[in-house]
PDB file of all heavy atoms in Angstrom:
ATOM      1  N   ALA G 228      25.569-198.851  -9.748  1.00  0.00           N
ATOM      2  CA  ALA G 228      24.366-198.055  -9.504  1.00  0.00           C
ATOM      3  C   ALA G 228      24.506-196.615 -10.006  1.00  0.00           C
ATOM      4  O   ALA G 228      23.629-196.079 -10.620  1.00  0.00           O
ATOM      5  CB  ALA G 228      24.081-198.034  -7.976  1.00  0.00           C
ATOM      6  N   GLY G 254      15.573-208.086  -6.903  1.00  0.00           N
ATOM      7  CA  GLY G 254      15.232-209.315  -7.595  1.00  0.00           C
ATOM      8  C   GLY G 254      16.429-210.247  -7.758  1.00  0.00           C
ATOM      9  O   GLY G 254      16.330-211.446  -7.482  1.00  0.00           O
ATOM     10  N   LEU G 260      20.020-215.630  -3.299  1.00  0.00           N
ATOM     11  CA  LEU G 260      19.982-216.065  -1.925  1.00  0.00           C
ATOM     12  C   LEU G 260      18.923-217.166  -1.659  1.00  0.00           C
ATOM     13  O   LEU G 260      18.957-217.812  -0.597  1.00  0.00           O
ATOM     14  CB  LEU G 260      19.696-214.894  -0.989  1.00  0.00           C
ATOM     15  CG  LEU G 260      20.806-213.864  -0.856  1.00  0.00           C
ATOM     16  CD1 LEU G 260      20.326-212.624  -0.110  1.00  0.00           C
ATOM     17  CD2 LEU G 260      22.022-214.427  -0.120  1.00  0.00           C
ATOM     18  N   LEU G 323      18.730-184.648 -12.999  1.00  0.00           N
ATOM     19  CA  LEU G 323      20.109-184.132 -12.871  1.00  0.00           C
ATOM     20  C   LEU G 323      20.084-182.671 -12.518  1.00  0.00           C
ATOM     21  O   LEU G 323      19.393-181.888 -13.155  1.00  0.00           O
ATOM     22  CB  LEU G 323      20.941-184.434 -14.107  1.00  0.00           C
ATOM     23  CG  LEU G 323      21.205-185.887 -14.427  1.00  0.00           C
ATOM     24  CD1 LEU G 323      22.081-185.956 -15.683  1.00  0.00           C
ATOM     25  CD2 LEU G 323      21.892-186.587 -13.293  1.00  0.00           C
ATOM     26  N   THR G 415      32.018-184.408   4.889  1.00  0.00           N
ATOM     27  CA  THR G 415      32.154-183.413   3.832  1.00  0.00           C
ATOM     28  C   THR G 415      31.576-183.969   2.549  1.00  0.00           C
ATOM     29  O   THR G 415      31.663-185.155   2.296  1.00  0.00           O
ATOM     30  CB  THR G 415      33.613-182.980   3.598  1.00  0.00           C
ATOM     31  OG1 THR G 415      33.626-182.063   2.495  1.00  0.00           O
ATOM     32  CG2 THR G 415      34.480-184.155   3.311  1.00  0.00           C
ATOM     33  N   VAL G 430      42.314-199.897  -8.307  1.00  0.00           N
ATOM     34  CA  VAL G 430      43.503-200.695  -8.440  1.00  0.00           C
ATOM     35  C   VAL G 430      43.504-201.844  -7.389  1.00  0.00           C
ATOM     36  O   VAL G 430      43.868-203.002  -7.741  1.00  0.00           O
ATOM     37  CB  VAL G 430      44.786-199.807  -8.318  1.00  0.00           C
ATOM     38  CG1 VAL G 430      46.029-200.696  -8.438  1.00  0.00           C
ATOM     39  CG2 VAL G 430      44.774-198.728  -9.372  1.00  0.00           C
ATOM     40  N   THR G 460      39.510-184.168 -11.811  1.00  0.00           N
ATOM     41  CA  THR G 460      40.214-185.392 -11.411  1.00  0.00           C
ATOM     42  C   THR G 460      39.999-186.565 -12.388  1.00  0.00           C
ATOM     43  O   THR G 460      40.286-187.690 -12.095  1.00  0.00           O
ATOM     44  CB  THR G 460      39.721-185.838 -10.036  1.00  0.00           C
ATOM     45  OG1 THR G 460      38.293-186.081 -10.081  1.00  0.00           O
ATOM     46  CG2 THR G 460      40.019-184.823  -8.953  1.00  0.00           C
ATOM     47  N   LEU G 507      30.777-188.745 -23.011  1.00  0.00           N
ATOM     48  CA  LEU G 507      29.313-188.588 -22.989  1.00  0.00           C
ATOM     49  C   LEU G 507      28.931-187.374 -22.142  1.00  0.00           C
ATOM     50  O   LEU G 507      27.993-186.650 -22.507  1.00  0.00           O
ATOM     51  CB  LEU G 507      28.667-189.846 -22.528  1.00  0.00           C
ATOM     52  CG  LEU G 507      28.709-191.046 -23.419  1.00  0.00           C
ATOM     53  CD1 LEU G 507      28.104-192.290 -22.732  1.00  0.00           C
ATOM     54  CD2 LEU G 507      27.951-190.731 -24.686  1.00  0.00           C
ATOM     55  N   TYR G 512      27.296-183.921 -23.398  1.00  0.00           N
ATOM     56  CA  TYR G 512      26.205-183.384 -22.563  1.00  0.00           C
ATOM     57  C   TYR G 512      26.537-181.949 -22.057  1.00  0.00           C
ATOM     58  O   TYR G 512      25.691-181.027 -22.145  1.00  0.00           O
ATOM     59  CB  TYR G 512      26.005-184.303 -21.337  1.00  0.00           C
ATOM     60  CG  TYR G 512      24.639-184.111 -20.676  1.00  0.00           C
ATOM     61  CD1 TYR G 512      23.482-184.457 -21.264  1.00  0.00           C
ATOM     62  CD2 TYR G 512      24.606-183.540 -19.358  1.00  0.00           C
ATOM     63  CE1 TYR G 512      22.271-184.299 -20.667  1.00  0.00           C
ATOM     64  CE2 TYR G 512      23.406-183.360 -18.752  1.00  0.00           C
ATOM     65  CZ  TYR G 512      22.267-183.742 -19.401  1.00  0.00           C
ATOM     66  OH  TYR G 512      21.056-183.554 -18.744  1.00  0.00           O
ATOM     67  N   LYS G 557      52.213-167.405 -19.825  1.00  0.00           N
ATOM     68  CA  LYS G 557      53.413-168.182 -19.619  1.00  0.00           C
ATOM     69  C   LYS G 557      54.117-167.895 -18.304  1.00  0.00           C
ATOM     70  O   LYS G 557      54.494-168.819 -17.564  1.00  0.00           O
ATOM     71  CB  LYS G 557      54.406-167.921 -20.800  1.00  0.00           C
ATOM     72  CG  LYS G 557      55.740-168.637 -20.659  1.00  0.00           C
ATOM     73  CD  LYS G 557      56.669-168.349 -21.820  1.00  0.00           C
ATOM     74  CE  LYS G 557      57.989-169.016 -21.690  1.00  0.00           C
ATOM     75  NZ  LYS G 557      58.885-168.724 -22.836  1.00  0.00           N
ATOM     76  N   GLN G 562      55.606-169.730 -12.886  1.00  0.00           N
ATOM     77  CA  GLN G 562      55.621-169.404 -11.466  1.00  0.00           C
ATOM     78  C   GLN G 562      54.875-170.458 -10.669  1.00  0.00           C
ATOM     79  O   GLN G 562      55.276-170.835  -9.521  1.00  0.00           O
ATOM     80  CB  GLN G 562      55.024-168.033 -11.218  1.00  0.00           C
ATOM     81  CG  GLN G 562      55.088-167.542  -9.773  1.00  0.00           C
ATOM     82  CD  GLN G 562      56.525-167.492  -9.293  1.00  0.00           C
ATOM     83  OE1 GLN G 562      57.370-166.874  -9.997  1.00  0.00           O
ATOM     84  NE2 GLN G 562      56.813-167.970  -8.101  1.00  0.00           N
ATOM     85  N   ALA G 565      57.142-173.375 -10.093  1.00  0.00           N
ATOM     86  CA  ALA G 565      58.062-173.057  -9.020  1.00  0.00           C
ATOM     87  C   ALA G 565      57.456-173.146  -7.638  1.00  0.00           C
ATOM     88  O   ALA G 565      58.002-173.679  -6.680  1.00  0.00           O
ATOM     89  CB  ALA G 565      58.695-171.700  -9.236  1.00  0.00           C
ATOM     90  N   ALA G 710      49.621-198.473  14.174  1.00  0.00           N
ATOM     91  CA  ALA G 710      49.803-197.770  15.462  1.00  0.00           C
ATOM     92  C   ALA G 710      50.404-196.418  15.317  1.00  0.00           C
ATOM     93  O   ALA G 710      49.997-195.451  15.995  1.00  0.00           O
ATOM     94  CB  ALA G 710      50.703-198.653  16.365  1.00  0.00           C
ATOM     95  N   PHE G 758      14.180-162.244  -4.495  1.00  0.00           N
ATOM     96  CA  PHE G 758      15.332-161.353  -4.623  1.00  0.00           C
ATOM     97  C   PHE G 758      15.983-161.280  -3.250  1.00  0.00           C
ATOM     98  O   PHE G 758      15.378-160.820  -2.292  1.00  0.00           O
ATOM     99  CB  PHE G 758      14.936-160.016  -5.136  1.00  0.00           C
ATOM    100  CG  PHE G 758      16.064-159.125  -5.527  1.00  0.00           C
ATOM    101  CD1 PHE G 758      16.575-159.126  -6.792  1.00  0.00           C
ATOM    102  CD2 PHE G 758      16.674-158.285  -4.571  1.00  0.00           C
ATOM    103  CE1 PHE G 758      17.654-158.364  -7.131  1.00  0.00           C
ATOM    104  CE2 PHE G 758      17.732-157.487  -4.924  1.00  0.00           C
ATOM    105  CZ  PHE G 758      18.245-157.524  -6.219  1.00  0.00           C
ATOM    106  N   GLN G 762      22.974-157.105   3.161  1.00  0.00           N
ATOM    107  CA  GLN G 762      24.021-156.122   3.098  1.00  0.00           C
ATOM    108  C   GLN G 762      25.296-156.628   3.846  1.00  0.00           C
ATOM    109  O   GLN G 762      25.221-157.087   4.995  1.00  0.00           O
ATOM    110  CB  GLN G 762      23.594-154.793   3.691  1.00  0.00           C
ATOM    111  CG  GLN G 762      22.408-154.165   2.967  1.00  0.00           C
ATOM    112  CD  GLN G 762      22.739-153.739   1.574  1.00  0.00           C
ATOM    113  OE1 GLN G 762      22.546-154.507   0.621  1.00  0.00           O
ATOM    114  NE2 GLN G 762      23.199-152.509   1.417  1.00  0.00           N
ATOM    115  N   GLY G 795      26.080-159.648  -1.643  1.00  0.00           N
ATOM    116  CA  GLY G 795      26.763-158.379  -1.788  1.00  0.00           C
ATOM    117  C   GLY G 795      25.995-157.270  -1.134  1.00  0.00           C
ATOM    118  O   GLY G 795      25.003-157.485  -0.399  1.00  0.00           O
ATOM    119  N   LEU G 799      23.398-146.780  -3.702  1.00  0.00           N
ATOM    120  CA  LEU G 799      23.645-145.787  -4.733  1.00  0.00           C
ATOM    121  C   LEU G 799      25.096-145.651  -4.993  1.00  0.00           C
ATOM    122  O   LEU G 799      25.947-145.862  -4.105  1.00  0.00           O
ATOM    123  CB  LEU G 799      23.054-144.430  -4.301  1.00  0.00           C
ATOM    124  CG  LEU G 799      21.553-144.369  -4.061  1.00  0.00           C
ATOM    125  CD1 LEU G 799      21.138-143.022  -3.518  1.00  0.00           C
ATOM    126  CD2 LEU G 799      20.799-144.686  -5.376  1.00  0.00           C
ATOM    127  N   GLU G 806      36.543-147.296   2.454  1.00  0.00           N
ATOM    128  CA  GLU G 806      37.447-148.183   3.059  1.00  0.00           C
ATOM    129  C   GLU G 806      37.384-149.585   2.463  1.00  0.00           C
ATOM    130  O   GLU G 806      36.280-150.035   2.058  1.00  0.00           O
ATOM    131  CB  GLU G 806      37.232-148.271   4.603  1.00  0.00           C
ATOM    132  CG  GLU G 806      35.924-148.909   5.010  1.00  0.00           C
ATOM    133  CD  GLU G 806      34.731-147.891   5.011  1.00  0.00           C
ATOM    134  OE1 GLU G 806      34.927-146.762   4.514  1.00  0.00           O
ATOM    135  OE2 GLU G 806      33.647-148.240   5.439  1.00  0.00           O
ATOM    136  N   THR G 818      21.351-147.608  -8.977  1.00  0.00           N
ATOM    137  CA  THR G 818      20.410-146.518  -8.686  1.00  0.00           C
ATOM    138  C   THR G 818      19.076-147.162  -8.303  1.00  0.00           C
ATOM    139  O   THR G 818      18.895-148.349  -8.539  1.00  0.00           O
ATOM    140  CB  THR G 818      20.184-145.641  -9.935  1.00  0.00           C
ATOM    141  OG1 THR G 818      19.601-146.425 -11.014  1.00  0.00           O
ATOM    142  CG2 THR G 818      21.501-145.006 -10.392  1.00  0.00           C
ATOM    143  N   GLU G 849      12.416-145.328  -1.043  1.00  0.00           N
ATOM    144  CA  GLU G 849      11.321-144.820  -1.855  1.00  0.00           C
ATOM    145  C   GLU G 849      10.688-145.895  -2.696  1.00  0.00           C
ATOM    146  O   GLU G 849       9.493-145.761  -3.119  1.00  0.00           O
ATOM    147  CB  GLU G 849      11.855-143.735  -2.775  1.00  0.00           C
ATOM    148  CG  GLU G 849      12.860-144.292  -3.825  1.00  0.00           C
ATOM    149  CD  GLU G 849      13.516-143.181  -4.680  1.00  0.00           C
ATOM    150  OE1 GLU G 849      14.362-142.465  -4.150  1.00  0.00           O
ATOM    151  OE2 GLU G 849      13.153-143.150  -5.844  1.00  0.00           O
ATOM    152  N   ARG G 883      15.323-163.262  16.025  1.00  0.00           N
ATOM    153  CA  ARG G 883      16.306-162.291  15.404  1.00  0.00           C
ATOM    154  C   ARG G 883      16.726-161.275  16.388  1.00  0.00           C
ATOM    155  O   ARG G 883      15.949-160.881  17.261  1.00  0.00           O
ATOM    156  CB  ARG G 883      15.725-161.648  14.147  1.00  0.00           C
ATOM    157  CG  ARG G 883      15.643-162.624  12.958  1.00  0.00           C
ATOM    158  CD  ARG G 883      14.994-161.925  11.782  1.00  0.00           C
ATOM    159  NE  ARG G 883      15.829-160.879  11.247  1.00  0.00           N
ATOM    160  CZ  ARG G 883      16.747-161.068  10.281  1.00  0.00           C
ATOM    161  NH1 ARG G 883      16.945-162.275   9.783  1.00  0.00           N
ATOM    162  NH2 ARG G 883      17.443-160.058   9.855  1.00  0.00           N
TER     163      ARG G 883
END
Side-chain angles (χ1 to χ4, degrees):
L260 291 169
L323 293 181
T415 175
V430 179
T460 59
L507 290 175
Y512 198 70
K557 178 180 177 179
Q562 185 60 47
F758 189 90
Q762 298 293 92
L799 297 175
E806 65 277 8
T818 63
E849 64 186 73
R883 286 178 68 90

